[in-house]
Amino acid sequence: MSARNGAHSGTVNVAILGCGRIAHHMADTLRQMAADERYTRLVRPYAVATRADLSRAEAFAKQYGFPKAYGSYEELLADPEVDLVYVATPHALHAGHAIACMMAGKNVLVEKSFTANEAQAGKVLDVSRQTGMLCTEAIWTRYMPSRRIILDVLASGAIGTPHQAYANLSYPTMHKARMIDPAMAGGALLDVGVYPINFVMMAFPGAQPSRTVSACSFTDRGVDEQFSATFWLDNDVMAVIDSSMVSVGSRTGIIQGDAGYLIVENINNPERIDVFDADHRRVNSIDVPRQLTGYEYQVVSAAKAVLRGDIECEEMPHEETLRIMRIMDGLRAQWGEVYPFERAADGSYR
């Protein structure tokens, strides 16, 4: 099946742009999906491309059973059999790569953070509308069954009316070059901080931050090292989040109401949701469904959207991607954090 505008029929050929750590996770997922009767007729692991290293792409393709390997992105985009491209490059490169893919007639699943800022995101999504190609953000927790489980618990009234939320995600990642590089939009916020922000916004869809107070510390290269933020939402919920790239975090998500609270174990890939009453007694413990890796849900959603001819996925619509980028832009504005490519030639912000 070759990529084209409009609805498709058949199996979606998936390609990966980039061969970094996250690309390996996706490749392993695609390999498992191809062998799983639930997904084998929906998606096919098809191709991988590196920027300038064919041997690396060939080794990657051999490892995961991809039939095609390319030593340049341009070669991959010229392949008419590519239907969906997973963009697995650093944040600062997402916008350019996603636009190039769509202009070449390829649908895109863009790894989080979607872009480096809202302005870039807006340009990418403009191209999606102009070309009619699917463009969706690969923030995997948005597509997982755990999202619905959490919303169902809240809707059930088990914890009463929610008033507070807390979420953390922290990993020591200072050893990764891109994480400390301002030119690659490095820092804790876009890499791990995006998850607690999404945790809160998924729990309270439609709620908007009416006031935000935050603070961060910087590395010696000027990217955010760790931060905390408090959001007062317009539904009367106070949400506190924090992230770090110098410490091991609890990965905990908590939502507290006037009749109890729930605790999510590992907001980055939820494993269990425990529900407690007002006397701190655990009244329910909900395990999430078994999964291949957790990445399969976003692939399924994107592939089905390609087959329908949609330009966005309902789990992460374009406006929601823009909202998350807007929130992160607002935090960086409070901290005075500006990436080098965001400064105009005269030194002003753009």
mmCIF file of all heavy atoms in Angstrom, residues 293-338:
data_model
loop_
_atom_site.group_PDB
_atom_site.id
_atom_site.type_symbol
_atom_site.label_atom_id
_atom_site.label_comp_id
_atom_site.label_asym_id
_atom_site.label_seq_id
_atom_site.Cartn_x
_atom_site.Cartn_y
_atom_site.Cartn_z
ATOM 1 N N THR A 293 4.483 -3.514 24.867
ATOM 2 C CA THR A 293 5.467 -2.583 25.418
ATOM 3 C C THR A 293 4.809 -1.307 25.930
ATOM 4 O O THR A 293 5.418 -0.550 26.663
ATOM 5 C CB THR A 293 6.511 -2.174 24.357
ATOM 6 O OG1 THR A 293 5.849 -1.413 23.326
ATOM 7 C CG2 THR A 293 7.193 -3.389 23.742
ATOM 8 N N GLY A 294 3.585 -1.051 25.504
ATOM 9 C CA GLY A 294 2.901 0.206 25.794
ATOM 10 C C GLY A 294 2.902 1.145 24.605
ATOM 11 O O GLY A 294 2.047 2.030 24.500
ATOM 12 N N TYR A 295 3.850 0.958 23.691
ATOM 13 C CA TYR A 295 3.910 1.798 22.497
ATOM 14 C C TYR A 295 2.862 1.385 21.461
ATOM 15 O O TYR A 295 2.554 2.160 20.553
ATOM 16 C CB TYR A 295 5.298 1.723 21.848
ATOM 17 C CG TYR A 295 6.386 2.424 22.606
ATOM 18 C CD1 TYR A 295 7.076 1.775 23.638
ATOM 19 C CD2 TYR A 295 6.747 3.732 22.317
ATOM 20 C CE1 TYR A 295 8.079 2.402 24.349
ATOM 21 C CE2 TYR A 295 7.750 4.377 23.024
ATOM 22 C CZ TYR A 295 8.412 3.708 24.033
ATOM 23 O OH TYR A 295 9.405 4.344 24.745
ATOM 24 N N GLU A 296 2.335 0.176 21.580
ATOM 25 C CA GLU A 296 1.444 -0.317 20.534
ATOM 26 C C GLU A 296 0.165 0.500 20.420
ATOM 27 O O GLU A 296 -0.411 0.611 19.330
ATOM 28 C CB GLU A 296 1.102 -1.797 20.755
ATOM 29 C CG GLU A 296 0.277 -2.100 21.998
ATOM 30 C CD GLU A 296 1.117 -2.486 23.189
ATOM 31 O OE1 GLU A 296 2.268 -2.010 23.268
ATOM 32 O OE2 GLU A 296 0.630 -3.262 24.043
ATOM 33 N N TYR A 297 -0.286 1.094 21.529
ATOM 34 C CA TYR A 297 -1.565 1.810 21.486
ATOM 35 C C TYR A 297 -1.514 3.026 20.577
ATOM 36 O O TYR A 297 -2.453 3.301 19.830
ATOM 37 C CB TYR A 297 -1.976 2.216 22.895
ATOM 38 C CG TYR A 297 -2.083 1.047 23.846
ATOM 39 C CD1 TYR A 297 -1.206 0.912 24.928
ATOM 40 C CD2 TYR A 297 -3.041 0.057 23.667
ATOM 41 C CE1 TYR A 297 -1.287 -0.158 25.802
ATOM 42 C CE2 TYR A 297 -3.137 -1.026 24.538
ATOM 43 C CZ TYR A 297 -2.261 -1.122 25.603
ATOM 44 O OH TYR A 297 -2.350 -2.191 26.460
ATOM 45 N N GLN A 298 -0.410 3.774 20.623
ATOM 46 C CA GLN A 298 -0.300 4.936 19.757
ATOM 47 C C GLN A 298 -0.143 4.514 18.296
ATOM 48 O O GLN A 298 -0.661 5.185 17.390
ATOM 49 C CB GLN A 298 0.858 5.831 20.201
ATOM 50 C CG GLN A 298 2.226 5.175 20.179
ATOM 51 C CD GLN A 298 3.280 6.032 20.873
ATOM 52 O OE1 GLN A 298 3.093 7.222 21.115
ATOM 53 N NE2 GLN A 298 4.421 5.418 21.185
ATOM 54 N N VAL A 299 0.535 3.401 18.061
ATOM 55 C CA VAL A 299 0.688 2.912 16.690
ATOM 56 C C VAL A 299 -0.665 2.495 16.127
ATOM 57 O O VAL A 299 -1.009 2.818 14.971
ATOM 58 C CB VAL A 299 1.677 1.733 16.626
ATOM 59 C CG1 VAL A 299 1.742 1.164 15.209
ATOM 60 C CG2 VAL A 299 3.061 2.177 17.078
ATOM 61 N N VAL A 300 -1.465 1.779 16.926
ATOM 62 C CA VAL A 300 -2.795 1.351 16.487
ATOM 63 C C VAL A 300 -3.660 2.561 16.156
ATOM 64 O O VAL A 300 -4.325 2.608 15.115
ATOM 65 C CB VAL A 300 -3.475 0.494 17.567
ATOM 66 C CG1 VAL A 300 -4.960 0.307 17.273
ATOM 67 C CG2 VAL A 300 -2.789 -0.863 17.671
ATOM 68 N N SER A 301 -3.657 3.554 17.042
ATOM 69 C CA SER A 301 -4.475 4.744 16.807
ATOM 70 C C SER A 301 -4.051 5.466 15.538
ATOM 71 O O SER A 301 -4.889 5.869 14.720
ATOM 72 C CB SER A 301 -4.373 5.696 18.001
ATOM 73 O OG SER A 301 -5.156 6.851 17.791
ATOM 74 N N ALA A 302 -2.729 5.627 15.354
ATOM 75 C CA ALA A 302 -2.231 6.316 14.165
ATOM 76 C C ALA A 302 -2.535 5.535 12.898
ATOM 77 O O ALA A 302 -2.956 6.105 11.880
ATOM 78 C CB ALA A 302 -0.732 6.559 14.288
ATOM 79 N N ALA A 303 -2.335 4.217 12.939
ATOM 80 C CA ALA A 303 -2.591 3.394 11.752
ATOM 81 C C ALA A 303 -4.061 3.438 11.356
ATOM 82 O O ALA A 303 -4.406 3.553 10.176
ATOM 83 C CB ALA A 303 -2.146 1.962 12.008
ATOM 84 N N LYS A 304 -4.943 3.347 12.334
ATOM 85 C CA LYS A 304 -6.374 3.416 12.033
ATOM 86 C C LYS A 304 -6.758 4.786 11.486
ATOM 87 O O LYS A 304 -7.610 4.888 10.591
ATOM 88 C CB LYS A 304 -7.192 3.082 13.283
ATOM 89 C CG LYS A 304 -7.131 1.612 13.670
ATOM 90 C CD LYS A 304 -7.978 1.320 14.894
ATOM 91 C CE LYS A 304 -8.010 -0.163 15.209
ATOM 92 N NZ LYS A 304 -8.810 -0.468 16.428
ATOM 93 N N ALA A 305 -6.132 5.838 11.992
ATOM 94 C CA ALA A 305 -6.390 7.175 11.468
ATOM 95 C C ALA A 305 -5.929 7.291 10.022
ATOM 96 O O ALA A 305 -6.603 7.905 9.187
ATOM 97 C CB ALA A 305 -5.691 8.223 12.338
ATOM 98 N N VAL A 306 -4.777 6.677 9.703
ATOM 99 C CA VAL A 306 -4.292 6.669 8.316
ATOM 100 C C VAL A 306 -5.304 5.971 7.410
ATOM 101 O O VAL A 306 -5.633 6.447 6.328
ATOM 102 C CB VAL A 306 -2.915 5.982 8.224
ATOM 103 C CG1 VAL A 306 -2.536 5.713 6.768
ATOM 104 C CG2 VAL A 306 -1.841 6.837 8.897
ATOM 105 N N LEU A 307 -5.809 4.842 7.869
ATOM 106 C CA LEU A 307 -6.773 4.083 7.067
ATOM 107 C C LEU A 307 -8.067 4.858 6.851
ATOM 108 O O LEU A 307 -8.711 4.722 5.809
ATOM 109 C CB LEU A 307 -7.065 2.742 7.734
ATOM 110 C CG LEU A 307 -5.891 1.766 7.813
ATOM 111 C CD1 LEU A 307 -6.255 0.538 8.631
ATOM 112 C CD2 LEU A 307 -5.435 1.350 6.415
ATOM 113 N N ARG A 308 -8.436 5.687 7.827
ATOM 114 C CA ARG A 308 -9.651 6.503 7.693
ATOM 115 C C ARG A 308 -9.404 7.777 6.901
ATOM 116 O O ARG A 308 -10.352 8.442 6.489
ATOM 117 C CB ARG A 308 -10.188 6.877 9.074
ATOM 118 C CG ARG A 308 -10.747 5.716 9.885
ATOM 119 C CD ARG A 308 -11.497 6.255 11.105
ATOM 120 N NE ARG A 308 -10.640 7.082 11.950
ATOM 121 C CZ ARG A 308 -9.971 6.631 13.011
ATOM 122 N NH1 ARG A 308 -10.055 5.345 13.348
ATOM 123 N NH2 ARG A 308 -9.217 7.445 13.727
ATOM 124 N N GLY A 309 -8.154 8.155 6.747
ATOM 125 C CA GLY A 309 -7.841 9.412 6.083
ATOM 126 C C GLY A 309 -7.920 10.616 7.004
ATOM 127 O O GLY A 309 -8.035 11.756 6.556
ATOM 128 N N ASP A 310 -7.814 10.393 8.333
ATOM 129 C CA ASP A 310 -7.868 11.485 9.307
ATOM 130 C C ASP A 310 -6.521 12.181 9.408
ATOM 131 O O ASP A 310 -5.478 11.572 9.160
ATOM 132 C CB ASP A 310 -8.254 10.950 10.687
ATOM 133 C CG ASP A 310 -9.672 10.408 10.741
ATOM 134 O OD1 ASP A 310 -10.459 10.702 9.816
ATOM 135 O OD2 ASP A 310 -9.991 9.695 11.715
ATOM 136 N N ILE A 311 -6.549 13.447 9.851
ATOM 137 C CA ILE A 311 -5.301 14.187 10.030
ATOM 138 C C ILE A 311 -4.902 14.292 11.495
ATOM 139 O O ILE A 311 -3.839 14.840 11.811
ATOM 140 C CB ILE A 311 -5.358 15.591 9.395
ATOM 141 C CG1 ILE A 311 -6.363 16.484 10.145
ATOM 142 C CG2 ILE A 311 -5.685 15.505 7.918
ATOM 143 C CD1 ILE A 311 -6.262 17.955 9.753
ATOM 144 N N GLU A 312 -5.733 13.788 12.422
ATOM 145 C CA GLU A 312 -5.379 13.790 13.833
ATOM 146 C C GLU A 312 -6.001 12.580 14.509
ATOM 147 O O GLU A 312 -6.922 11.959 13.980
ATOM 148 C CB GLU A 312 -5.824 15.084 14.518
ATOM 149 C CG GLU A 312 -7.302 15.359 14.454
ATOM 150 C CD GLU A 312 -7.682 16.720 15.022
ATOM 151 O OE1 GLU A 312 -6.866 17.347 15.750
ATOM 152 O OE2 GLU A 312 -8.800 17.174 14.743
ATOM 153 N N CYS A 313 -5.476 12.241 15.686
ATOM 154 C CA CYS A 313 -6.007 11.143 16.489
ATOM 155 C C CYS A 313 -6.818 11.722 17.640
ATOM 156 O O CYS A 313 -6.417 12.723 18.242
ATOM 157 C CB CYS A 313 -4.879 10.276 17.051
ATOM 158 S SG CYS A 313 -3.994 9.300 15.814
ATOM 159 N N GLU A 314 -7.918 11.088 17.957
ATOM 160 C CA GLU A 314 -8.784 11.621 19.001
ATOM 161 C C GLU A 314 -8.117 11.614 20.368
ATOM 162 O O GLU A 314 -8.435 12.439 21.231
ATOM 163 C CB GLU A 314 -10.096 10.842 19.059
ATOM 164 C CG GLU A 314 -9.954 9.381 19.443
ATOM 165 C CD GLU A 314 -11.296 8.678 19.545
ATOM 166 O OE1 GLU A 314 -12.335 9.361 19.404
ATOM 167 O OE2 GLU A 314 -11.308 7.447 19.764
ATOM 168 N N GLU A 315 -7.160 10.703 20.593
ATOM 169 C CA GLU A 315 -6.486 10.653 21.888
ATOM 170 C C GLU A 315 -5.598 11.870 22.137
ATOM 171 O O GLU A 315 -5.366 12.255 23.283
ATOM 172 C CB GLU A 315 -5.629 9.388 22.003
ATOM 173 C CG GLU A 315 -6.418 8.091 21.997
ATOM 174 C CD GLU A 315 -6.637 7.542 20.593
ATOM 175 O OE1 GLU A 315 -6.430 8.284 19.600
ATOM 176 O OE2 GLU A 315 -7.001 6.354 20.497
ATOM 177 N N MET A 316 -5.071 12.456 21.064
ATOM 178 C CA MET A 316 -4.212 13.635 21.192
ATOM 179 C C MET A 316 -4.475 14.559 20.011
ATOM 180 O O MET A 316 -3.666 14.659 19.079
ATOM 181 C CB MET A 316 -2.734 13.223 21.249
ATOM 182 C CG MET A 316 -1.785 14.364 21.662
ATOM 183 S SD MET A 316 -2.213 15.031 23.285
ATOM 184 C CE MET A 316 -0.810 16.105 23.614
ATOM 185 N N PRO A 317 -5.616 15.245 20.011
ATOM 186 C CA PRO A 317 -5.937 16.128 18.888
ATOM 187 C C PRO A 317 -4.965 17.303 18.798
ATOM 188 O O PRO A 317 -4.249 17.629 19.762
ATOM 189 C CB PRO A 317 -7.361 16.596 19.201
ATOM 190 C CG PRO A 317 -7.529 16.390 20.665
ATOM 191 C CD PRO A 317 -6.666 15.225 21.029
ATOM 192 N N HIS A 318 -4.941 17.934 17.665
ATOM 193 C CA HIS A 318 -3.994 19.021 17.420
ATOM 194 C C HIS A 318 -4.083 20.114 18.475
ATOM 195 O O HIS A 318 -3.058 20.635 18.938
ATOM 196 C CB HIS A 318 -4.228 19.620 16.031
ATOM 197 C CG HIS A 318 -3.833 18.698 14.925
ATOM 198 N ND1 HIS A 318 -4.037 19.002 13.595
ATOM 199 C CD2 HIS A 318 -3.225 17.473 14.934
ATOM 200 C CE1 HIS A 318 -3.581 18.009 12.843
ATOM 201 N NE2 HIS A 318 -3.093 17.078 13.634
ATOM 202 N N GLU A 319 -5.295 20.498 18.857
ATOM 203 C CA GLU A 319 -5.441 21.591 19.813
ATOM 204 C C GLU A 319 -4.860 21.232 21.173
ATOM 205 O O GLU A 319 -4.338 22.086 21.894
ATOM 206 C CB GLU A 319 -6.919 21.982 19.959
ATOM 207 C CG GLU A 319 -7.155 23.197 20.845
ATOM 208 C CD GLU A 319 -6.259 24.394 20.509
ATOM 209 O OE1 GLU A 319 -6.147 24.740 19.305
ATOM 210 O OE2 GLU A 319 -5.655 24.952 21.439
ATOM 211 N N GLU A 320 -4.924 19.947 21.519
ATOM 212 C CA GLU A 320 -4.356 19.529 22.803
ATOM 213 C C GLU A 320 -2.833 19.558 22.755
ATOM 214 O O GLU A 320 -2.175 19.947 23.737
ATOM 215 C CB GLU A 320 -4.860 18.140 23.176
ATOM 216 C CG GLU A 320 -4.513 17.714 24.578
ATOM 217 C CD GLU A 320 -5.217 18.509 25.672
ATOM 218 O OE1 GLU A 320 -5.992 19.444 25.349
ATOM 219 O OE2 GLU A 320 -4.976 18.225 26.855
ATOM 220 N N THR A 321 -2.250 19.156 21.633
ATOM 221 C CA THR A 321 -0.806 19.278 21.473
ATOM 222 C C THR A 321 -0.374 20.732 21.615
ATOM 223 O O THR A 321 0.607 21.040 22.306
ATOM 224 C CB THR A 321 -0.370 18.725 20.104
ATOM 225 O OG1 THR A 321 -0.384 17.290 20.155
ATOM 226 C CG2 THR A 321 1.040 19.169 19.736
ATOM 227 N N LEU A 322 -1.107 21.641 20.987
ATOM 228 C CA LEU A 322 -0.784 23.065 21.088
ATOM 229 C C LEU A 322 -0.912 23.559 22.527
ATOM 230 O O LEU A 322 -0.108 24.361 22.995
ATOM 231 C CB LEU A 322 -1.689 23.887 20.169
ATOM 232 C CG LEU A 322 -1.438 23.733 18.667
ATOM 233 C CD1 LEU A 322 -2.541 24.428 17.877
ATOM 234 C CD2 LEU A 322 -0.074 24.299 18.280
ATOM 235 N N ARG A 323 -1.928 23.072 23.250
ATOM 236 C CA ARG A 323 -2.138 23.505 24.629
ATOM 237 C C ARG A 323 -0.966 23.084 25.518
ATOM 238 O O ARG A 323 -0.478 23.875 26.333
ATOM 239 C CB ARG A 323 -3.442 22.928 25.172
ATOM 240 C CG ARG A 323 -3.745 23.380 26.611
ATOM 241 C CD ARG A 323 -5.183 23.077 26.994
ATOM 242 N NE ARG A 323 -5.381 21.694 27.329
ATOM 243 C CZ ARG A 323 -5.901 21.280 28.490
ATOM 244 N NH1 ARG A 323 -6.229 22.159 29.415
ATOM 245 N NH2 ARG A 323 -6.089 19.999 28.725
ATOM 246 N N ILE A 324 -0.493 21.851 25.355
ATOM 247 C CA ILE A 324 0.636 21.386 26.159
ATOM 248 C C ILE A 324 1.892 22.191 25.828
ATOM 249 O O ILE A 324 2.653 22.592 26.721
ATOM 250 C CB ILE A 324 0.886 19.888 25.947
ATOM 251 C CG1 ILE A 324 -0.335 19.069 26.379
ATOM 252 C CG2 ILE A 324 2.134 19.438 26.698
ATOM 253 C CD1 ILE A 324 -0.724 19.230 27.837
ATOM 254 N N MET A 325 2.127 22.447 24.538
ATOM 255 C CA MET A 325 3.288 23.257 24.155
ATOM 256 C C MET A 325 3.170 24.663 24.726
ATOM 257 O O MET A 325 4.166 25.244 25.180
ATOM 258 C CB MET A 325 3.416 23.322 22.630
ATOM 259 C CG MET A 325 3.713 22.016 21.926
ATOM 260 S SD MET A 325 5.152 21.095 22.554
ATOM 261 C CE MET A 325 6.428 22.347 22.577
ATOM 262 N N ARG A 326 1.964 25.207 24.762
ATOM 263 C CA ARG A 326 1.729 26.553 25.300
ATOM 264 C C ARG A 326 2.056 26.592 26.792
ATOM 265 O O ARG A 326 2.659 27.557 27.282
ATOM 266 C CB ARG A 326 0.276 26.952 25.041
ATOM 267 C CG ARG A 326 -0.060 28.420 25.279
ATOM 268 C CD ARG A 326 -1.521 28.676 24.907
ATOM 269 N NE ARG A 326 -1.791 28.209 23.545
ATOM 270 C CZ ARG A 326 -2.790 27.382 23.221
ATOM 271 N NH1 ARG A 326 -3.621 26.923 24.140
ATOM 272 N NH2 ARG A 326 -2.958 27.022 21.964
ATOM 273 N N ILE A 327 1.665 25.555 27.505
ATOM 274 C CA ILE A 327 1.959 25.475 28.942
ATOM 275 C C ILE A 327 3.464 25.424 29.171
ATOM 276 O O ILE A 327 4.007 26.119 30.043
ATOM 277 C CB ILE A 327 1.259 24.258 29.560
ATOM 278 C CG1 ILE A 327 -0.255 24.486 29.615
ATOM 279 C CG2 ILE A 327 1.809 23.967 30.962
ATOM 280 C CD1 ILE A 327 -1.049 23.252 29.997
ATOM 281 N N MET A 328 4.168 24.614 28.384
ATOM 282 C CA MET A 328 5.622 24.511 28.555
ATOM 283 C C MET A 328 6.323 25.800 28.145
ATOM 284 O O MET A 328 7.299 26.216 28.790
ATOM 285 C CB MET A 328 6.152 23.308 27.783
ATOM 286 C CG MET A 328 5.659 21.984 28.358
ATOM 287 S SD MET A 328 6.551 20.509 27.805
ATOM 288 C CE MET A 328 6.084 20.472 26.072
ATOM 289 N N ASP A 329 5.842 26.459 27.111
ATOM 290 C CA ASP A 329 6.385 27.772 26.754
ATOM 291 C C ASP A 329 6.225 28.750 27.915
ATOM 292 O O ASP A 329 7.121 29.564 28.202
ATOM 293 C CB ASP A 329 5.669 28.336 25.516
ATOM 294 C CG ASP A 329 6.160 27.739 24.214
ATOM 295 O OD1 ASP A 329 7.037 26.850 24.247
ATOM 296 O OD2 ASP A 329 5.656 28.154 23.150
ATOM 297 N N GLY A 330 5.055 28.696 28.577
ATOM 298 C CA GLY A 330 4.799 29.592 29.692
ATOM 299 C C GLY A 330 5.738 29.349 30.856
ATOM 300 O O GLY A 330 6.198 30.298 31.509
ATOM 301 N N LEU A 331 6.048 28.089 31.120
ATOM 302 C CA LEU A 331 7.004 27.782 32.185
ATOM 303 C C LEU A 331 8.383 28.316 31.837
ATOM 304 O O LEU A 331 9.051 28.957 32.665
ATOM 305 C CB LEU A 331 7.064 26.270 32.414
ATOM 306 C CG LEU A 331 5.815 25.625 33.018
ATOM 307 C CD1 LEU A 331 5.983 24.105 33.080
ATOM 308 C CD2 LEU A 331 5.520 26.180 34.397
ATOM 309 N N ARG A 332 8.820 28.078 30.620
ATOM 310 C CA ARG A 332 10.155 28.568 30.224
ATOM 311 C C ARG A 332 10.218 30.090 30.256
ATOM 312 O O ARG A 332 11.266 30.670 30.569
ATOM 313 C CB ARG A 332 10.533 28.037 28.843
ATOM 314 C CG ARG A 332 10.865 26.564 28.828
ATOM 315 C CD ARG A 332 11.650 26.164 27.591
ATOM 316 N NE ARG A 332 10.920 26.360 26.362
ATOM 317 C CZ ARG A 332 11.294 27.160 25.373
ATOM 318 N NH1 ARG A 332 12.414 27.857 25.455
ATOM 319 N NH2 ARG A 332 10.557 27.264 24.276
ATOM 320 N N ALA A 333 9.106 30.738 29.930
ATOM 321 C CA ALA A 333 9.084 32.204 29.988
ATOM 322 C C ALA A 333 9.274 32.683 31.425
ATOM 323 O O ALA A 333 9.980 33.683 31.670
ATOM 324 C CB ALA A 333 7.758 32.724 29.422
ATOM 325 N N GLN A 334 8.678 31.984 32.401
ATOM 326 C CA GLN A 334 8.880 32.345 33.804
ATOM 327 C C GLN A 334 10.337 32.172 34.208
ATOM 328 O O GLN A 334 10.851 32.938 35.032
ATOM 329 C CB GLN A 334 7.989 31.495 34.701
ATOM 330 C CG GLN A 334 6.513 31.840 34.638
ATOM 331 C CD GLN A 334 5.703 31.173 35.739
ATOM 332 O OE1 GLN A 334 6.252 30.511 36.623
ATOM 333 N NE2 GLN A 334 4.389 31.350 35.701
ATOM 334 N N TRP A 335 11.002 31.170 33.640
ATOM 335 C CA TRP A 335 12.382 30.890 34.019
ATOM 336 C C TRP A 335 13.396 31.706 33.211
ATOM 337 O O TRP A 335 14.574 31.741 33.559
ATOM 338 C CB TRP A 335 12.700 29.413 33.805
ATOM 339 C CG TRP A 335 11.731 28.465 34.430
ATOM 340 C CD1 TRP A 335 10.923 28.698 35.508
ATOM 341 C CD2 TRP A 335 11.474 27.120 34.009
ATOM 342 N NE1 TRP A 335 10.169 27.586 35.789
ATOM 343 C CE2 TRP A 335 10.479 26.598 34.892
ATOM 344 C CE3 TRP A 335 11.966 26.302 32.997
ATOM 345 C CZ2 TRP A 335 9.980 25.306 34.765
ATOM 346 C CZ3 TRP A 335 11.475 25.012 32.871
ATOM 347 C CH2 TRP A 335 10.500 24.522 33.747
ATOM 348 N N GLY A 336 12.945 32.300 32.123
ATOM 349 C CA GLY A 336 13.866 33.000 31.230
ATOM 350 C C GLY A 336 14.707 32.058 30.395
ATOM 351 O O GLY A 336 15.829 32.411 29.980
ATOM 352 N N GLU A 337 14.182 30.878 30.118
ATOM 353 C CA GLU A 337 14.920 29.879 29.339
ATOM 354 C C GLU A 337 14.569 30.004 27.859
ATOM 355 O O GLU A 337 13.421 29.800 27.459
ATOM 356 C CB GLU A 337 14.599 28.468 29.830
ATOM 357 C CG GLU A 337 15.368 27.372 29.090
ATOM 358 C CD GLU A 337 15.088 25.991 29.661
ATOM 359 O OE1 GLU A 337 14.091 25.824 30.396
ATOM 360 O OE2 GLU A 337 15.880 25.075 29.368
ATOM 361 N N VAL A 338 15.556 30.350 27.054
ATOM 362 C CA VAL A 338 15.364 30.516 25.608
ATOM 363 C C VAL A 338 16.407 29.667 24.885
ATOM 364 O O VAL A 338 17.602 29.753 25.185
ATOM 365 C CB VAL A 338 15.516 31.996 25.184
ATOM 366 C CG1 VAL A 338 15.312 32.143 23.682
ATOM 367 C CG2 VAL A 338 14.539 32.882 25.957
#
